Amino acid sequence: MKLTNLKVIVVSLVGGAVAGTAGGLLYAWLGDKVAFHGIGTGLFIVGILALGVGLTGAAEPEQGWSSKRAEGRRSMASRLISEEAVEISSKAMAVWAVTVGLPLVVLSMVAFSLAV
């Protein structure tokens, strides 16, 4: 399976949206905020995390970040993905980051505009 497969992207988007919405509603309830404000906050955090993890993974060298060690120092995301049967390339990781992270950030901005 490839990371840029439509099924993987849709599952990532839906999972991110559900996690961001649930976390945002919990934040809104605990912080006595408007529901759309909480949803926007949750979606923004999940979107920025997806962008950060994806683009960091795309920029990571094959041997890891540290060239001083024999094994290298690889990120947790790279170690987890390397154990799965998923084809990963830097280009695919960047495409995944943009196609999952940016829509979540845009949805957060829509939620923020509804909160006013």
Side-chain angles (χ1 to χ4, degrees):
M1 181 177 287
K2 293 186 178 185
L3 189 61
T4 55
N5 187 351
L6 184 62
K7 184 190 247 185
V8 172
I9 291 177
V10 168
V11 167
S12 298
L13 268 172
V14 170
V18 168
T21 301
L25 286 173
L26 180 65
Y27 165 70
W29 179 63
L30 292 174
D32 197 28
K33 304 280 184 188
V34 177
F36 283 117
H37 184 267
I39 291 170
T41 302
L43 289 173
F44 185 76
I45 290 171
V46 171
I48 291 297
L49 283 174
L51 273 170
V53 167
L55 294 177
T56 302
E60 184 173 7
E62 186 68 32
Q63 69 275 13
W65 291 110
S66 176
S67 61
K68 294 179 183 176
R69 296 183 189 177
E71 298 175 11
R73 185 174 175 188
R74 298 178 68 205
S75 66
M76 183 174 58
S78 293
R79 284 181 293 191
L80 289 174
I81 290 172
S82 67
E83 296 171 3
E84 299 293 325
V86 178
E87 276 185 45
I88 302 292
S89 68
S90 293
K91 185 177 174 183
M93 199 71 170
V95 167
W96 178 86
V98 170
T99 57
V100 172
L102 283 182
L104 291 174
V105 171
V106 169
L107 284 175
S108 75
M109 296 304 146
V110 170
F112 282 133
S113 69
L114 293 173
V116 176

XYZ file of all heavy atoms in Angstrom:
830
model
N 0.840 -1.175 0.000
C 0.000 0.000 0.000
C 0.888 1.241 0.000
O 1.917 1.266 0.651
C -0.903 -0.014 1.227
C -1.823 1.170 1.282
S -2.954 1.141 2.677
C -4.059 -0.130 2.166
N 0.467 2.218 -0.721
C 1.229 3.464 -0.779
C 0.592 4.508 0.125
O -0.615 4.505 0.355
C 1.270 3.983 -2.216
C 2.059 3.091 -3.129
C 2.195 3.702 -4.482
C 3.031 2.781 -5.350
N 3.307 3.342 -6.634
N 1.417 5.412 0.603
C 0.946 6.463 1.497
C 0.034 7.445 0.776
O -0.833 8.053 1.390
C 2.151 7.203 2.102
C 1.867 8.179 3.221
C 1.235 7.458 4.405
C 3.132 8.851 3.659
N 0.209 7.587 -0.541
C -0.617 8.525 -1.294
C -1.879 7.866 -1.845
O -2.592 8.485 -2.629
C 0.197 9.128 -2.455
O 0.714 8.068 -3.253
C 1.310 10.002 -1.943
N -2.159 6.643 -1.437
C -3.386 5.964 -1.831
C -4.581 6.762 -1.303
O -4.560 7.280 -0.183
C -3.372 4.548 -1.238
C -4.519 3.700 -1.733
O -5.439 4.175 -2.382
N -4.436 2.421 -1.409
N -5.630 6.858 -2.097
C -6.796 7.652 -1.722
C -7.418 7.148 -0.418
O -7.854 7.944 0.411
C -7.827 7.637 -2.859
C -9.053 8.508 -2.659
C -8.644 9.971 -2.541
C -10.027 8.311 -3.789
N -7.429 5.843 -0.225
C -8.003 5.266 0.987
C -7.225 5.714 2.228
O -7.812 6.058 3.252
C -7.990 3.743 0.882
C -8.651 3.033 2.036
C -8.366 1.539 1.955
C -9.611 0.767 1.686
N -9.377 -0.692 1.719
N -5.903 5.733 2.143
C -5.068 6.155 3.269
C -5.304 7.633 3.577
O -5.423 8.026 4.744
C -3.578 5.884 2.966
C -2.677 6.487 4.025
C -3.328 4.400 2.835
N -5.405 8.440 2.552
C -5.608 9.880 2.763
C -6.988 10.145 3.358
O -7.127 10.950 4.288
C -5.382 10.645 1.453
C -3.895 10.588 1.106
C -5.866 12.083 1.560
C -3.507 11.230 -0.176
N -8.018 9.462 2.858
C -9.374 9.666 3.384
C -9.457 9.215 4.835
O -10.038 9.912 5.681
C -10.416 8.936 2.500
C -11.773 8.889 3.171
C -10.523 9.601 1.146
N -8.871 8.069 5.157
C -8.881 7.589 6.546
C -8.115 8.565 7.443
O -8.554 8.862 8.562
C -8.297 6.161 6.633
C -8.010 5.758 8.067
C -9.243 5.172 5.986
N -7.009 9.087 6.968
C -6.238 10.061 7.755
C -7.032 11.345 7.972
O -7.041 11.899 9.082
C -4.928 10.382 7.058
O -4.122 9.251 6.937
N -7.689 11.818 6.921
C -8.501 13.037 7.045
C -9.663 12.843 8.009
O -9.898 13.681 8.884
C -9.035 13.445 5.675
C -8.207 14.424 4.877
C -8.774 14.570 3.475
C -8.152 15.756 5.557
N -10.385 11.751 7.848
C -11.540 11.497 8.715
C -11.082 11.275 10.152
O -11.678 11.825 11.090
C -12.357 10.294 8.182
C -13.412 9.857 9.179
C -13.004 10.645 6.857
N -10.032 10.494 10.336
C -9.511 10.272 11.692
C -9.034 11.559 12.342
O -9.297 11.801 13.524
N -8.341 12.398 11.575
C -7.882 13.679 12.106
C -9.035 14.604 12.443
O -9.021 15.293 13.465
N -10.050 14.618 11.572
C -11.212 15.467 11.818
C -11.986 15.011 13.048
O -12.416 15.836 13.867
C -12.118 15.487 10.593
N -12.142 13.704 13.203
C -12.856 13.181 14.374
C -12.067 13.455 15.652
O -12.630 13.907 16.650
C -13.135 11.665 14.195
C -13.602 11.033 15.492
C -14.160 11.444 13.098
N -10.771 13.201 15.621
C -9.948 13.447 16.812
C -9.919 14.933 17.162
O -10.035 15.303 18.340
C -8.525 12.932 16.583
N -9.766 15.790 16.155
C -9.750 17.228 16.408
C -11.077 17.747 16.925
O -11.122 18.579 17.842
N -12.166 17.248 16.357
C -13.496 17.680 16.795
C -13.773 17.213 18.218
O -14.263 17.990 19.048
C -14.574 17.147 15.836
O -14.300 17.641 14.523
C -15.954 17.587 16.249
N -13.462 15.952 18.512
C -13.704 15.433 19.865
C -12.847 16.164 20.898
O -13.347 16.576 21.952
C -13.415 13.933 19.895
N -11.567 16.339 20.583
C -10.703 17.067 21.500
C -11.126 18.517 21.655
O -11.072 19.086 22.751
N -11.550 19.129 20.561
C -12.005 20.512 20.615
C -13.282 20.685 21.410
O -13.435 21.667 22.151
N -14.212 19.747 21.265
C -15.441 19.824 22.055
C -15.160 19.632 23.537
O -15.767 20.302 24.381
C -16.458 18.783 21.566
C -17.144 19.117 20.246
C -17.995 17.952 19.786
C -17.975 20.385 20.376
N -14.225 18.753 23.865
C -13.831 18.580 25.256
C -13.192 19.862 25.793
O -13.499 20.306 26.905
C -12.862 17.406 25.390
C -12.369 17.103 26.798
C -13.529 16.651 27.686
C -11.292 16.046 26.756
N -12.338 20.470 24.985
C -11.713 21.744 25.374
C -12.769 22.830 25.567
O -12.712 23.597 26.532
C -10.704 22.166 24.305
C -10.256 23.595 24.402
C -9.449 24.025 25.439
C -10.656 24.525 23.448
C -9.042 25.344 25.537
C -10.257 25.847 23.529
C -9.458 26.252 24.577
O -9.069 27.564 24.663
N -13.738 22.898 24.658
C -14.793 23.908 24.768
C -15.632 23.685 26.025
O -16.003 24.642 26.715
C -15.673 23.874 23.534
N -15.910 22.443 26.325
C -16.718 22.140 27.496
C -15.966 22.459 28.786
O -16.509 23.075 29.698
C -17.137 20.670 27.456
C -17.946 20.245 28.630
C -19.174 20.712 29.003
C -17.569 19.270 29.599
N -19.586 20.080 30.145
C -18.618 19.187 30.533
C -16.456 18.464 29.757
C -18.578 18.327 31.618
C -16.424 17.598 30.837
C -17.478 17.537 31.749
N -14.700 22.045 28.851
C -13.910 22.289 30.057
C -13.520 23.759 30.210
O -13.419 24.260 31.328
C -12.647 21.427 30.057
C -12.859 19.920 30.214
C -11.541 19.180 30.051
C -13.513 19.601 31.533
N -13.294 24.445 29.103
C -12.860 25.834 29.158
C -13.990 26.841 29.044
O -13.744 28.046 28.980
N -15.228 26.354 29.023
C -16.402 27.212 28.914
C -16.295 28.139 27.699
O -16.451 29.356 27.799
C -16.599 28.025 30.196
C -18.008 28.602 30.288
O -18.932 27.992 29.726
O -18.170 29.665 30.909
N -15.997 27.531 26.547
C -15.871 28.264 25.283
C -17.049 27.917 24.381
O -17.796 26.980 24.631
C -14.572 27.872 24.565
C -13.319 28.049 25.365
C -12.894 29.473 25.355
C -11.561 29.601 26.088
N -11.177 30.951 26.281
N -17.179 28.663 23.302
C -18.163 28.345 22.271
C -17.715 27.052 21.589
O -16.519 26.837 21.369
C -18.255 29.507 21.248
C -19.205 29.183 20.120
C -18.638 30.791 21.950
N -18.680 26.188 21.230
C -18.344 24.879 20.657
C -17.507 25.011 19.385
O -16.537 24.268 19.195
C -19.618 24.087 20.377
N -17.859 25.950 18.508
C -17.103 26.106 17.268
C -15.677 26.591 17.534
O -14.757 26.264 16.789
C -17.804 27.054 16.293
C -18.960 26.416 15.591
C -20.247 26.892 15.766
C -18.759 25.334 14.754
C -21.312 26.300 15.112
C -19.817 24.731 14.089
C -21.097 25.211 14.284
N -15.477 27.344 18.582
C -14.128 27.781 18.957
C -13.291 26.573 19.372
O -12.128 26.438 18.982
C -14.183 28.812 20.086
C -12.853 29.365 20.454
N -12.094 28.809 21.456
C -12.136 30.396 19.951
C -10.960 29.484 21.562
N -10.960 30.447 20.664
N -13.875 25.700 20.163
C -13.177 24.491 20.573
C -12.886 23.567 19.403
O -11.786 23.012 19.289
N -13.860 23.400 18.512
C -13.658 22.554 17.335
C -12.554 23.127 16.458
O -11.686 22.400 15.972
C -14.977 22.405 16.548
C -15.981 21.577 17.354
C -14.736 21.772 15.186
C -17.384 21.576 16.780
N -12.562 24.426 16.264
C -11.512 25.069 15.471
C -10.143 24.869 16.084
O -9.165 24.591 15.379
N -10.063 24.972 17.404
C -8.784 24.771 18.085
C -8.296 23.334 17.920
O -7.127 23.095 17.616
C -8.920 25.118 19.583
O -9.369 26.468 19.698
C -7.609 24.941 20.309
N -9.186 22.376 18.111
C -8.805 20.973 17.965
C -8.372 20.636 16.556
O -7.357 19.951 16.347
N -9.115 21.107 15.557
C -8.749 20.835 14.168
C -7.435 21.509 13.791
O -6.630 20.944 13.048
C -9.861 21.301 13.227
C -11.142 20.475 13.238
C -12.209 21.142 12.384
C -10.881 19.058 12.774
N -7.213 22.715 14.314
C -5.965 23.415 14.017
C -4.762 22.660 14.581
O -3.753 22.481 13.897
C -6.009 24.841 14.584
C -4.815 25.665 14.222
C -4.690 26.191 12.960
C -3.810 25.895 15.146
C -3.579 26.941 12.609
C -2.702 26.644 14.808
C -2.589 27.169 13.536
N -4.879 22.190 15.811
C -3.770 21.463 16.427
C -3.482 20.170 15.674
O -2.324 19.858 15.369
C -4.067 21.196 17.921
C -4.015 22.510 18.697
C -3.100 20.177 18.510
C -4.504 22.421 20.116
N -4.519 19.416 15.330
C -4.317 18.160 14.605
C -3.750 18.431 13.211
O -2.859 17.719 12.736
C -5.635 17.359 14.535
C -5.510 16.167 13.610
C -6.037 16.890 15.920
N -4.226 19.487 12.544
C -3.713 19.831 11.211
C -2.251 20.235 11.238
O -1.458 19.798 10.397
N -1.871 21.045 12.217
C -0.466 21.457 12.330
C 0.413 20.264 12.681
O 1.533 20.130 12.178
C -0.323 22.592 13.369
C -0.970 23.868 12.843
C 1.128 22.832 13.736
C -0.340 24.431 11.598
N -0.074 19.358 13.532
C 0.693 18.147 13.848
C 0.887 17.273 12.608
O 1.978 16.741 12.378
C 0.001 17.351 14.948
C 0.149 17.889 16.361
C -0.714 17.087 17.332
C 1.588 17.874 16.799
N -0.167 17.116 11.804
C -0.046 16.323 10.576
C 0.957 16.958 9.617
O 1.792 16.269 9.025
C -1.405 16.174 9.908
N 0.883 18.268 9.462
C 1.851 18.961 8.613
C 3.268 18.797 9.150
O 4.198 18.504 8.395
C 1.512 20.453 8.525
C 0.532 20.866 7.450
C 0.118 22.318 7.657
C 1.125 20.683 6.079
N 3.439 18.985 10.435
C 4.774 18.892 11.032
C 5.373 17.506 10.928
O 6.526 17.343 10.528
N 4.599 16.494 11.273
C 5.104 15.123 11.212
C 5.393 14.723 9.772
O 6.431 14.134 9.464
C 4.101 14.147 11.868
C 4.440 12.709 11.548
C 4.065 14.352 13.366
N 4.476 15.064 8.859
C 4.664 14.685 7.464
C 5.845 15.373 6.810
O 6.648 14.734 6.128
N 5.971 16.664 7.016
C 7.076 17.386 6.383
C 8.414 17.076 7.040
O 9.450 17.046 6.370
C 6.798 18.887 6.384
C 5.607 19.307 5.509
C 5.360 20.801 5.625
C 5.819 18.909 4.060
N 8.409 16.811 8.343
C 9.645 16.385 9.000
C 10.067 15.013 8.487
O 11.242 14.768 8.233
C 9.478 16.343 10.524
O 9.101 17.641 10.965
C 10.754 15.916 11.216
N 9.106 14.117 8.331
C 9.412 12.801 7.782
C 9.891 12.875 6.346
O 10.746 12.096 5.916
N 9.367 13.823 5.579
C 9.799 13.981 4.188
C 11.217 14.517 4.105
O 11.959 14.192 3.177
C 8.850 14.920 3.449
N 11.609 15.327 5.072
C 12.945 15.923 5.046
C 13.998 15.035 5.709
O 15.188 15.293 5.567
C 12.922 17.273 5.756
N 13.575 13.984 6.403
C 14.517 13.149 7.137
C 15.373 12.318 6.191
O 14.855 11.671 5.281
C 13.756 12.222 8.078
C 14.659 11.397 8.935
C 13.879 10.603 9.975
O 12.644 10.606 9.940
O 14.524 9.986 10.817
N 16.677 12.319 6.391
C 17.549 11.489 5.555
C 17.302 10.002 5.809
O 16.783 9.618 6.855
C 18.966 11.874 5.984
C 18.846 12.899 7.030
C 17.416 13.119 7.347
N 17.678 9.179 4.857
C 17.445 7.729 4.951
C 18.115 7.117 6.178
O 17.558 6.243 6.821
C 17.971 7.055 3.683
C 17.663 5.581 3.607
C 16.184 5.287 3.449
O 15.478 6.092 2.820
O 15.735 4.254 3.962
N 19.310 7.556 6.526
C 20.036 6.986 7.655
C 19.641 7.612 8.985
O 20.142 7.223 10.014
C 21.548 7.124 7.447
C 22.068 8.539 7.519
C 21.968 9.285 6.198
O 21.299 8.843 5.275
N 22.623 10.416 6.119
N 18.772 8.584 8.988
C 18.356 9.241 10.222
C 19.031 10.599 10.363
O 19.798 11.022 9.504
N 18.727 11.274 11.450
C 19.234 12.632 11.633
C 20.680 12.670 12.093
O 21.403 13.594 11.804
C 18.362 13.386 12.632
C 17.010 13.688 12.098
C 15.845 13.131 12.501
C 16.667 14.593 11.049
N 14.805 13.628 11.769
C 15.274 14.531 10.881
C 17.396 15.449 10.237
C 14.604 15.301 9.935
C 16.722 16.210 9.299
C 15.343 16.136 9.151
N 21.121 11.699 12.843
C 22.477 11.737 13.392
C 23.386 10.826 12.588
O 23.158 9.633 12.488
C 22.451 11.275 14.856
O 23.752 11.218 15.356
N 24.434 11.391 12.025
C 25.384 10.577 11.273
C 26.506 10.052 12.173
O 27.331 9.278 11.730
C 25.979 11.391 10.128
O 26.664 12.510 10.637
N 26.544 10.463 13.432
C 27.604 10.038 14.346
C 27.372 8.613 14.847
O 28.311 7.913 15.162
C 27.691 10.994 15.529
C 28.141 12.371 15.114
C 28.202 13.298 16.295
C 28.592 14.692 15.814
N 28.583 15.663 16.876
N 26.141 8.201 14.922
C 25.833 6.850 15.378
C 25.792 5.910 14.179
O 25.471 6.304 13.071
C 24.480 6.816 16.065
C 24.442 7.629 17.316
C 23.096 7.482 17.952
N 22.966 8.422 19.052
C 21.888 8.558 19.751
N 20.838 7.838 19.491
N 21.838 9.426 20.732
N 26.087 4.679 14.438
C 26.058 3.689 13.349
C 24.637 3.489 12.837
O 24.399 3.392 11.643
C 26.637 2.363 13.836
N 23.667 3.434 13.742
C 22.288 3.217 13.342
C 21.612 4.508 12.909
O 20.638 4.483 12.183
C 21.494 2.618 14.501
C 21.993 1.274 14.950
C 21.247 0.812 16.178
O 20.226 1.418 16.540
O 21.691 -0.154 16.791
N 22.086 5.621 13.365
C 21.414 6.880 13.100
C 20.310 7.113 14.115
O 19.948 6.235 14.886
N 19.794 8.271 14.111
C 18.731 8.606 15.048
C 17.492 8.949 14.239
O 17.363 10.052 13.720
C 19.167 9.784 15.910
C 18.200 10.112 16.975
C 18.758 11.177 17.862
N 17.752 11.565 18.819
C 17.879 12.577 19.637
N 18.968 13.290 19.604
N 16.926 12.872 20.469
N 16.597 8.010 14.128
C 15.406 8.188 13.310
C 14.241 8.630 14.177
O 14.146 8.293 15.347
C 15.081 6.886 12.602
C 16.225 6.480 11.677
C 15.968 5.192 10.999
N 14.860 5.377 10.065
C 14.091 4.377 9.677
N 14.281 3.170 10.123
N 13.118 4.601 8.829
N 13.331 9.364 13.588
C 12.171 9.834 14.327
C 11.243 8.667 14.642
O 11.293 7.610 14.019
C 11.425 10.890 13.512
O 10.872 10.308 12.359
N 10.370 8.874 15.622
C 9.443 7.830 16.018
C 8.509 7.475 14.866
O 8.201 6.305 14.641
C 8.632 8.276 17.234
C 7.693 7.188 17.720
S 6.833 7.553 19.246
C 5.965 9.043 18.879
N 8.052 8.478 14.120
C 7.160 8.215 12.986
C 7.848 7.347 11.943
O 7.252 6.406 11.414
C 6.706 9.535 12.364
N 9.108 7.604 11.657
C 9.843 6.807 10.680
C 10.048 5.381 11.159
O 9.954 4.440 10.382
C 11.202 7.426 10.388
O 11.059 8.643 9.742
N 10.324 5.219 12.451
C 10.503 3.865 12.981
C 9.210 3.080 12.934
O 9.206 1.902 12.591
C 11.021 3.914 14.410
C 12.496 4.264 14.481
C 12.944 4.274 15.893
N 12.226 5.410 16.509
C 12.475 5.909 17.692
N 13.385 5.368 18.440
N 11.821 6.943 18.160
N 8.083 3.710 13.269
C 6.808 3.014 13.230
C 6.420 2.640 11.803
O 5.947 1.540 11.554
C 5.705 3.886 13.853
C 5.779 4.075 15.357
C 4.727 5.075 15.798
C 5.599 2.757 16.073
N 6.634 3.561 10.882
C 6.251 3.310 9.494
C 7.153 2.265 8.868
O 6.706 1.454 8.062
C 6.256 4.625 8.699
C 5.091 5.491 9.158
C 6.159 4.375 7.210
C 5.081 6.867 8.595
N 8.419 2.238 9.238
C 9.338 1.267 8.642
C 8.958 -0.158 9.019
O 9.296 -1.096 8.311
C 10.771 1.567 9.052
O 10.938 1.348 10.433
N 8.234 -0.348 10.133
C 7.799 -1.672 10.532
C 6.552 -2.119 9.774
O 6.230 -3.299 9.759
C 7.524 -1.691 12.040
C 8.770 -1.433 12.865
C 8.454 -1.239 14.331
O 7.283 -1.360 14.717
O 9.403 -0.960 15.086
N 5.828 -1.202 9.164
C 4.619 -1.531 8.418
C 4.957 -1.859 6.970
O 6.027 -1.541 6.478
C 3.639 -0.346 8.462
C 3.189 0.028 9.843
C 2.340 -1.033 10.509
O 1.568 -1.706 9.812
O 2.473 -1.204 11.725
N 3.997 -2.463 6.287
C 4.181 -2.807 4.871
C 3.653 -1.676 3.999
O 2.775 -1.851 3.171
C 3.475 -4.112 4.554
N 4.188 -0.478 4.200
C 3.747 0.698 3.458
C 4.951 1.276 2.733
O 6.021 1.402 3.316
C 3.157 1.767 4.418
C 2.744 3.001 3.666
C 1.992 1.196 5.182
N 4.762 1.587 1.453
C 5.838 2.227 0.701
C 5.879 3.708 1.053
O 4.902 4.410 0.890
C 5.587 2.082 -0.800
C 6.054 0.783 -1.377
C 5.890 0.779 -2.881
O 6.256 1.778 -3.532
O 5.375 -0.228 -3.375
N 7.024 4.156 1.524
C 7.170 5.547 1.926
C 8.332 6.158 1.148
O 9.405 5.602 1.075
C 7.482 5.668 3.428
C 6.388 5.015 4.265
C 7.662 7.103 3.836
C 5.076 5.724 4.213
N 8.076 7.325 0.592
C 9.146 8.108 -0.010
C 8.999 9.527 0.519
O 7.974 9.891 1.081
C 9.044 8.081 -1.537
O 7.891 8.773 -1.962
N 10.024 10.315 0.338
C 9.956 11.705 0.802
C 8.843 12.462 0.090
O 8.119 13.235 0.709
C 11.293 12.397 0.560
O 12.280 11.840 1.381
N 8.701 12.203 -1.190
C 7.647 12.874 -1.967
C 6.261 12.461 -1.473
O 5.381 13.299 -1.298
C 7.823 12.523 -3.435
C 6.887 13.227 -4.349
C 7.197 12.851 -5.795
C 6.183 13.437 -6.745
N 6.431 13.017 -8.116
N 6.077 11.166 -1.197
C 4.781 10.686 -0.718
C 4.468 11.250 0.659
O 3.319 11.594 0.947
C 4.777 9.164 -0.677
N 5.478 11.360 1.500
C 5.276 11.909 2.840
C 4.879 13.385 2.768
O 4.006 13.835 3.509
C 6.562 11.730 3.646
C 6.408 11.814 5.099
S 5.549 10.390 5.722
C 5.803 10.666 7.435
N 5.503 14.126 1.864
C 5.161 15.541 1.700
C 3.752 15.693 1.141
O 2.990 16.560 1.587
C 6.174 16.213 0.789
N 3.384 14.857 0.182
C 2.031 14.909 -0.387
C 1.003 14.584 0.687
O -0.030 15.252 0.805
C 1.905 13.943 -1.593
C 0.461 13.749 -1.992
C 2.724 14.456 -2.758
N 1.282 13.562 1.500
C 0.363 13.204 2.579
C 0.210 14.370 3.558
O -0.894 14.687 3.984
C 0.865 11.965 3.320
C -0.011 11.577 4.458
C -1.117 10.788 4.401
C 0.115 11.989 5.828
N -1.678 10.673 5.644
C -0.942 11.396 6.535
C 1.027 12.791 6.507
C -1.104 11.589 7.898
C 0.850 12.985 7.860
C -0.203 12.390 8.547
N 1.308 14.997 3.923
C 1.266 16.103 4.883
C 0.406 17.247 4.370
O -0.404 17.807 5.110
C 2.677 16.601 5.178
N 0.569 17.560 3.100
C -0.183 18.685 2.533
C -1.654 18.321 2.333
O -2.537 19.122 2.628
C 0.477 19.141 1.210
C -0.392 20.127 0.473
C 1.842 19.745 1.495
N -1.937 17.100 1.863
C -3.331 16.737 1.589
C -4.125 16.401 2.843
O -5.352 16.366 2.798
C -3.414 15.549 0.605
O -2.689 14.449 1.141
C -2.903 15.928 -0.752
N -3.458 16.152 3.943
C -4.166 15.894 5.195
C -4.101 17.109 6.118
O -5.120 17.525 6.674
C -3.596 14.641 5.907
C -4.184 14.476 7.287
C -3.860 13.402 5.077
N -2.940 17.698 6.271
C -2.776 18.804 7.211
C -3.469 20.086 6.793
O -4.159 20.719 7.596
N -3.300 20.473 5.541
C -3.897 21.741 5.098
C -5.425 21.743 5.133
O -6.011 22.738 5.582
C -3.379 22.106 3.711
C -1.962 22.677 3.674
C -1.579 23.050 2.244
C -1.801 23.865 4.584
N -6.120 20.688 4.684
C -7.584 20.719 4.808
C -8.062 20.814 6.248
O -9.068 21.480 6.529
C -8.027 19.403 4.170
C -6.956 19.057 3.225
C -5.692 19.548 3.868
N -7.340 20.198 7.172
C -7.729 20.302 8.579
C -7.537 21.727 9.095
O -8.368 22.237 9.855
C -6.943 19.304 9.422
C -7.292 17.830 9.189
C -6.341 16.933 9.967
C -8.720 17.545 9.556
N -6.471 22.379 8.669
C -6.255 23.772 9.071
C -7.334 24.668 8.461
O -7.863 25.562 9.126
C -4.833 24.240 8.684
C -4.665 25.724 8.896
C -3.793 23.475 9.486
N -7.697 24.423 7.206
C -8.755 25.208 6.555
C -10.086 24.982 7.267
O -10.840 25.944 7.510
C -8.853 24.853 5.054
C -10.098 25.430 4.427
C -7.609 25.334 4.318
N -10.393 23.739 7.628
C -11.622 23.473 8.380
C -11.619 24.177 9.732
O -12.661 24.634 10.200
C -11.807 21.973 8.573
C -12.287 21.181 7.373
C -12.299 19.693 7.692
C -13.659 21.637 6.943
N -10.453 24.284 10.344
C -10.379 24.996 11.619
C -10.693 26.476 11.440
O -11.354 27.084 12.275
C -9.020 24.805 12.281
O -8.019 25.572 11.643
N -10.235 27.051 10.332
C -10.525 28.460 10.073
C -12.022 28.673 9.821
O -12.594 29.679 10.246
C -9.719 28.965 8.877
C -8.221 28.956 9.095
S -7.773 29.899 10.551
C -6.396 28.970 11.137
N -12.663 27.708 9.166
C -14.109 27.787 8.964
C -14.831 27.716 10.308
O -15.762 28.485 10.565
C -14.579 26.655 8.009
C -16.102 26.561 7.983
C -14.030 26.861 6.617
N -14.381 26.818 11.175
C -14.989 26.715 12.498
C -14.784 27.981 13.315
O -15.705 28.436 14.015
C -14.429 25.498 13.248
N -13.594 28.579 13.217
C -13.356 29.838 13.925
C -14.265 30.945 13.411
O -14.746 31.771 14.164
C -11.895 30.271 13.807
C -10.954 29.535 14.713
C -9.772 29.019 14.218
C -11.233 29.360 16.057
C -8.883 28.347 15.041
C -10.371 28.688 16.888
C -9.194 28.177 16.378
N -14.510 30.971 12.109
C -15.378 32.020 11.555
C -16.827 31.816 11.989
O -17.588 32.780 12.119
C -15.279 32.065 10.028
O -15.855 30.914 9.469
N -17.231 30.572 12.228
C -18.593 30.293 12.719
C -18.741 30.598 14.204
O -19.856 30.772 14.687
C -18.960 28.843 12.444
C -19.119 28.444 10.975
C -19.319 26.945 10.847
C -20.256 29.208 10.334
N -17.627 30.670 14.912
C -17.677 30.924 16.358
C -17.994 32.366 16.679
O -18.416 32.683 17.784
C -16.344 30.545 17.003
N -17.804 33.248 15.735
C -18.020 34.685 15.994
C -19.462 35.048 15.906
O -20.272 34.576 15.277
C -17.194 35.534 15.000
C -17.477 36.999 15.186
C -15.733 35.231 15.196
